[in-house]
Amino acid sequence: MNNELRVIISGGGTGGHIFPAVSIANAVRQLEPTSKILFVGALGRMEMQRVPQAGYEIKGLPIQGFDRKHLLKNVKVLFKVWKSQRMAKRIIKDFQPQVAVGVGGYASGPTLNQAAAMGIPCLIQEQNSYAGVTNKLLAKKAQKICVAYEGMERFFPQDKIMLTGNPVRQALLQSTVSREDALRSFGLDPSLRTVLLVGGSLGARTINESMLQHLDLIKADSGIQYIWQTGKYYSAGIAERLKGHNIPNLKVMDFITDMAAAYKAADLVISRAGAGSISEFCLLGKAVILVPSPNVAEDHQTKNAMALVNKQAALFVKDAEAPEQLLPLAMATVKDDGQLASLRQNILTMALPNSAEIIAKEVIKLARQ
């Protein structure tokens, strides 16, 4: 096996966990081209497709979360946890990693538990300003905890914490497309102010409703144009509701494949407050209105948003108030040069660049100790 670096990376469930994991793997491979990297995910979850698409091998565990509403169903869940622990132990014995990395999500629990029990050094990466349950449980066993927000000593031992930021999709940072070309690629007018609405790949019902309830307002103000990602889940219903409305300043898409161009085109972004998205806005210096999802553990998206709002680096609208308030606020903001400039300037001060490389160096250091 000579001196080759062997790394296990575990976690997933959402793009917010998977993008950073793949970015860390890419950075490790850039620093150590001969390294062997194995992912461990949860069967049936997004990582089982996304990780192989990124060029890495992945093993799946039958792990799932506890059902807090139907407690009797957790007998089956407990069996899956036990089975996942045994499978993780076998995977680690076979692969023989020198270091294990956890990015949050169900699979990282049994994987890092077993790695720590076998004396393998562990690093965890917490994306949110409010730590996830799995990472809180793993913190005692980890040698290093990489975080994206200040004040994380509320959850983790201070001597293990390292403020690194969240790794983001490299393609976004490397894009050289101009604003004009980006807008033309969407069939839009480079002379108009542009608002981009994104609700994640599945879409965000509240953001969509905020648009649908103000179609007359959008049509009446032809000085603003919109790129609206509805999400595949909602696209058919929205297409039906848009029938009979001819709104040339509205570009509606179920999914945006070129997010680098979408960000470059936008003078203002409207988004949920996932940790990965926020890291992208900080690094790209985007003026943004955040509408945190209320359907996440510990309401962590609101906490992510408030970390920016408290530094005048973003605007914030509650989910329940968005259908009424979001679009009028966006229309006023995108025309206010002073406010746009201030939001861009303030959010840039919160950017933590080179996160993936910094974390990768820590991973390699732990492996070589």
Side-chain angles (χ1 to χ4, degrees), residues 268-348:
L268 176 69
V269 181
I270 293 171
S271 172
R272 289 303 201 190
S277 297
I278 285 179
S279 295
E280 290 172 358
F281 303 146
C282 291
L283 286 161
L284 296 170
K286 301 310 295 185
V288 61
I289 302 175
L290 298 170
V291 186
S293 170
N295 309 312
V296 292
E298 312 284 0
D299 195 25
H300 70 249
Q301 285 206 5
T302 297
K303 297 174 177 84
N304 289 348
M306 293 315 294
L308 270 67
V309 172
N310 291 337
K311 295 191 176 181
Q312 288 80 51
L315 301 178
F316 161 75
V317 176
K318 283 185 180 173
D319 187 83
E321 296 169 359
E324 190 180 323
Q325 296 180 10
L326 180 59
L327 199 73
L329 175 64
M331 294 176 85
T333 305
V334 79
K335 291 177 179 176
D336 187 333
D337 289 345
Q339 189 171 26
L340 287 178
S342 173
L343 287 168
R344 288 177 190 133
Q345 196 175 330
N346 292 342
I347 203 168
L348 269 172

